[in-house]
Amino acid sequence: MKPWLLLAALLVWAPPPVLARTATVPIPAPSTPAEREALTRGRALIADFYALRLERLWGAFTTETKAQWGSLEAFQAFREAGARTYGAERQLMAERTFTDAGVTYYVRSATFEHDPRTVWALVFGFDAVGRVGLFGIAAQGEQVPGRIAFSPGNVKDAP
């Protein structure tokens, strides 16, 4: 299955809940050690992603995920364009982790300062050894592949 198709199915099949705007967002407690690790690593990698420090995230990508971007420089250009277009995270709406078919997912739903009405889902799929085999960004519930991070040429449509 193509990664963008998997991400689209994932967001439709198991969309993270949109919570009321609160200062503290309660999340379901991760139920397994892998889910606890995905929460910790997902938060750390998102912090790096937001801060435009992409080396650690790039190093965590599987070979297949790296091939989708072509190079660290191309991934950096994608992220910089997203930061200019969407700005900083404005509101954390929800976080969750879950495991499906041997992949543990971290999903973060948030709004951004230049697009506060769209809830974006940022997704990491960690394999059994903690590598990032799936990375994607899509409007919550969005099913159009052009709005997913696996389309490196389409930098205008993702934060």
Side-chain angles (χ1 to χ4, degrees):
M1 178 179 276
K2 297 212 181 237
W4 62 263
L5 193 58
L6 175 63
L7 179 60
L10 175 68
L11 292 173
V12 172
W13 172 71
V18 176
L19 303 176
R21 293 177 185 229
T22 60
T24 304
V25 178
I27 66 163
S31 59
T32 67
E35 290 176 8
R36 285 189 290 279
E37 177 66 17
L39 180 65
T40 300
R41 286 205 59 225
R43 286 176 172 169
L45 292 174
I46 285 290
D48 285 350
F49 182 74
Y50 286 166
L52 303 172
R53 294 185 310 258
L54 303 179
E55 294 80 14
R56 182 167 52 158
L57 177 54
W58 184 259
F61 280 172
T62 62
T63 302
E64 295 80 12
T65 305
K66 286 180 180 179
Q68 293 167 356
W69 294 100
S71 68
L72 174 58
E73 294 75 22
F75 185 56
Q76 185 81 32
F78 165 81
R79 177 59 192 121
E80 289 170 0
R84 283 190 305 275
T85 302
Y86 293 94
E89 182 178 282
R90 179 178 181 211
Q91 176 86 39
L92 173 62
M93 304 302 285
E95 294 178 289
R96 69 182 290 208
T97 60
F98 64 95
T99 303
D100 184 53
V103 177
T104 304
Y105 295 94
Y106 168 75
V107 181
R108 181 182 188 94
S109 298
T111 61
F112 291 82
E113 64 183 335
H114 301 311
D115 187 15
R117 291 181 301 191
T118 303
V119 177
W120 292 92
L122 295 90
V123 181
F124 290 112
F126 296 101
D127 66 17
V129 295
R131 305 280 296 175
V132 177
L134 174 72
F135 170 69
I137 305 171
Q140 185 102 1
E142 179 65 55
Q143 299 179 49
V144 179
R147 292 185 68 116
I148 295 176
F150 286 110
S151 301
N154 193 359
V155 296
K156 70 180 184 346
D157 285 336

